[in-house]
Amino acid sequence: MKKLIMISFLIVMQSAYSQDSLAIKKKPEELPAKKNPLDIGDLKINLNPAGDKWIKFALSSQIWLRSIENNPGTMVNGVPQDQTYDAGIRRMRLTIQSQITPFYSIYFQVGTNNESFISGGGTGTGATGAGKRAPFFIHDAYNELAIIPRNNFQTGKPNKNNIYIGAGLHSWNGVSRLSNGSSVKMLAGDLPVFNFPTIEVADQFSRQFGAFVHGEFNKLNYRFSINKPFATNLTPAIGGGAVDNNKSGKLSYAGYIYYQFFNKEVTANAFLAGNNLATKKVLNLGAGFYFNKQSTLTQPLKDVFESHNTNIMGTDIFAELPIGNKNKEMGLTLYSVYYNYNYGPNYLRLSGVLNPGTVDPGFKGETALEGAGNNRVLMGTGSIWFSQAGFVLPKFSNILKVQPFFNYALKNLKALNEPGSYFDAGINFYLYGQNTKVVAQYSNRPLYNPTTKMIFDRKGEYLLSLQIVL
């Protein structure tokens, strides 16, 4: 895997050098006049001459190549394995956004996630082989009405304040910026996942059905929603921790606000960028929440059940700072967030993205609380502090930008007897802005003993991610 990452690095560098060389050799009259080579533009069709009725398309693809150090006692496809090489589709999306009238718009996104050689299977799982024909499902589907639009419909000038309302399957989430994070403008190879507090339990890939309002009041950006969570019905073990069970059917409430000290961001959709290559000076301070009554269940005694509320708070800071000579296009991106989670007593979730492993019943050594494959402690009742930083190196090419980055998460959860540190380190290679991105990343995670709930080992994972966005 290390050789694969090095080869990919050399290919990217050679491509950038070749493109620059060609550009130098061309005569001036052969080059496009006044065209930014990084500007690919939108896939947009105007439906009237004024341009206030339109339909816009977006395509994105993230392909992963990995080398995984498996947790002890892992089988892959029925064979014990300490290390696994795999390839998969992390995300593949088609987005359609349309403004039907100046006041009314729709947003629709479909796609697939997490298909590898052994996981993500839909109708193909079984006799035709594991992992084949993964489901293609709806991510977002909502309608939106402009009460006060971003731009005045008559003059076209920006309004100081704006407000929009909408309803449907949406991702106008609460808690933090990262809980509303864009999956195509990430700083690292992936989002940390614990930023979505009900991911794939009471939501559908971080979306819930409901109504929302969002907008701006001068430099204060806000979003609030009332939703109907997806149904959960897990049965807790006697004397065990809380599990997801919202049979009482209570609504959930979420909100997130942030103050923009410098440049303002345009929120034409729900997703907030984690990385804009520090092209503009940005400093945002935010806070948010998520609340769902009677959403989890414990069984302190046999046939005695107690319901618990989910109550999550987050506060964060996001900064992008251009540095030095503008011609060098250097910049620093920083983000830090503190989460306080309360799902009920000793609630704990374990998960591994694109996990290829299953438990080996014949394994005789020390096993991990996390289970098999690349499973890790994801989140639970307690707190998580997460920070990341990236730096765009000085410009040396008209085609390529390079950005090293580092992530760190400290998880202090009630069900464990020791806090755990998780980190990722890597380099982003950007070709034509953020439309094409190659990520080389190493991640490291702790493993907990299932009895002592203390850390006894650590495992790593190498990732090469190939991303295209149009």
Side-chain angles (χ1 to χ4, degrees):
M1 192 68 182
K2 293 180 182 178
K3 293 182 179 178
L4 180 60
I5 292 174
M6 182 59 68
I7 292 171
S8 302
F9 171 76
L10 294 174
I11 290 173
V12 170
M13 295 295 290
Q14 178 61 36
S15 172
Y17 174 79
S18 301
Q19 293 289 339
D20 284 347
S21 299
L22 289 172
I24 292 170
K25 291 177 183 178
K26 286 184 178 180
K27 296 179 181 179
E29 60 270 17
E30 294 175 336
L31 296 175
K34 298 181 180 180
K35 184 176 181 181
N36 184 350
L38 303 183
D39 185 13
I40 292 178
D42 294 327
L43 302 175
K44 184 178 181 181
I45 301 172
N46 287 327
L47 303 178
N48 67 342
D52 59 6
K53 298 179 182 180
W54 45 262
I55 184 169
K56 185 163 60 176
F57 303 89
L59 299 170
S60 63
S61 170
Q62 293 169 3
I63 306 300
W64 278 14
L65 307 175
R66 296 185 301 175
S67 174
I68 303 168
E69 295 177 4
N70 290 318
N71 298 345
T74 292
M75 291 196 306
V76 177
N77 200 24
V79 178
Q81 288 190 12
D82 294 329
Q83 185 175 33
T84 299
Y85 299 95
D86 81 344
I89 298 172
R90 177 64 175 107
R91 297 177 181 91
M92 189 78 69
R93 306 281 176 80
L94 167 64
T95 302
I96 303 173
Q97 188 173 6
S98 179
Q99 184 167 290
I100 307 302
T101 75
F103 296 93
Y104 195 76
S105 65
I106 61 173
Y107 190 89
F108 182 72
Q109 183 176 194
V110 295
T112 189
N113 306 288
N114 301 334
E115 182 184 13
S116 74
F117 72 101
I118 200 169
S119 67
T123 57
T125 299
T128 57
K132 298 179 183 177
R133 294 192 288 278
F136 201 71
F137 66 93
I138 295 174
H139 288 66
D140 300 90
Y142 61 83
N143 299 349
E144 188 175 83
L145 184 67
I147 306 301
I148 303 175
R150 294 177 191 86
N151 300 305
N152 185 287
F153 292 139
Q154 281 71 42
T155 66
K157 294 181 179 179
N159 287 320
K160 189 174 184 180
N161 307 316
N162 62 71
I163 181 170
Y164 292 78
I165 61 173
L169 181 64
H170 70 92
S171 48
W172 292 93
N173 296 323
V175 186
S176 75
R177 180 186 187 88
L178 209 58
S179 304
N180 297 271
S182 167
S183 62
V184 297
K185 289 189 175 181
M186 303 177 291
L187 180 58
D190 199 11
L191 298 169
V193 185
F194 56 73
N195 53 299
F196 302 116
T198 61
I199 184 75
E200 286 298 273
V201 177
D203 65 36
Q204 179 168 282
F205 227 72
S206 81
R207 283 83 169 170
Q208 291 185 349
F209 285 108
F212 59 86
V213 56
H214 69 91
E216 289 180 314
F217 183 75
N218 197 5
K219 289 191 172 184
L220 186 70
N221 192 295
Y222 60 88
R223 59 187 66 196
F224 298 96
S225 63
I226 301 175
N227 304 303
K228 179 67 173 180
F230 283 83
T232 59
N233 59 1
L234 297 180
T235 301
I238 299 172
V243 298
D244 294 281
N245 188 309
N246 59 12
K247 284 187 175 182
S248 62
K250 304 297 184 182
L251 298 177
S252 66
Y253 303 88
Y256 176 64
I257 61 174
Y258 62 95
Y259 188 83
Q260 305 172 96
F261 289 91
F262 299 127
N263 284 293
K264 293 171 66 176
E265 300 176 273
V266 177
T267 50
N269 59 44
F271 308 110
L272 297 173
N275 182 24
N276 290 300
L277 296 173
T279 54
K280 292 182 179 180
K281 189 177 181 181
V282 174
L283 177 61
N284 298 341
L285 185 64
F289 68 92
Y290 175 88
F291 177 77
N292 187 200
K293 192 174 182 179
Q294 297 178 1
S295 55
T296 66
L297 199 67
T298 57
Q299 188 179 184
L301 301 172
K302 182 176 174 58
D303 296 328
V304 176
F305 297 93
E306 293 182 5
S307 292
H308 307 275
N309 303 334
T310 293
N311 193 4
I312 299 164
M313 306 290 289
T315 182
D316 60 7
I317 185 170
F318 174 70
E320 290 202 296
L321 305 171
I323 294 176
N325 190 325
K326 289 185 178 180
N327 294 328
K328 295 295 185 180
E329 298 180 1
M330 294 184 295
L332 183 65
T333 299
L334 299 169
Y335 179 73
S336 187
V337 58
Y338 176 81
Y339 294 109
N340 184 274
Y341 305 88
N342 189 350
Y343 299 92
N346 291 325
Y347 179 99
L348 193 66
R349 281 195 66 186
L350 312 172
S351 181
V353 176
L354 275 165
N355 188 354
T358 57
V359 173
D360 180 0
F363 183 73
K364 302 299 183 184
E366 185 176 13
T367 58
L369 169 71
E370 291 81 352
N374 66 345
N375 253 22
R376 62 176 60 196
V377 171
L378 182 62
M379 56 189 158
T381 294
S383 64
I384 297 179
W385 173 57
F386 174 79
S387 293
Q388 58 182 179
F391 182 73
V392 180
L393 298 182
K395 181 179 179 181
F396 62 91
S397 165
N398 290 326
I399 303 298
L400 177 67
K401 288 192 177 214
V402 179
Q403 182 187 45
F405 64 84
F406 182 80
N407 291 346
Y408 176 76
L410 178 64
K411 302 182 181 183
N412 188 7
L413 306 180
K414 300 292 186 180
L416 304 174
N417 291 324
E418 182 179 358
S421 294
Y422 302 72
F423 71 83
D424 314 287
I427 304 177
N428 295 323
F429 303 96
Y430 293 97
L431 298 165
Y432 295 102
Q434 296 200 66
N435 292 96
T436 306
K437 174 183 176 183
V438 178
V439 186
Q441 176 178 300
Y442 173 74
S443 303
N444 191 272
R445 63 190 188 274
L447 297 180
Y448 285 83
N449 181 282
T451 302
T452 66
K453 308 295 175 61
M454 301 285 287
I455 296 170
F456 73 96
D457 198 2
R458 302 190 68 91
K459 295 293 182 182
E461 183 173 319
Y462 295 92
L463 166 67
L464 185 66
S465 173
L466 313 174
Q467 175 176 300
I468 294 177
V469 181
L470 295 175

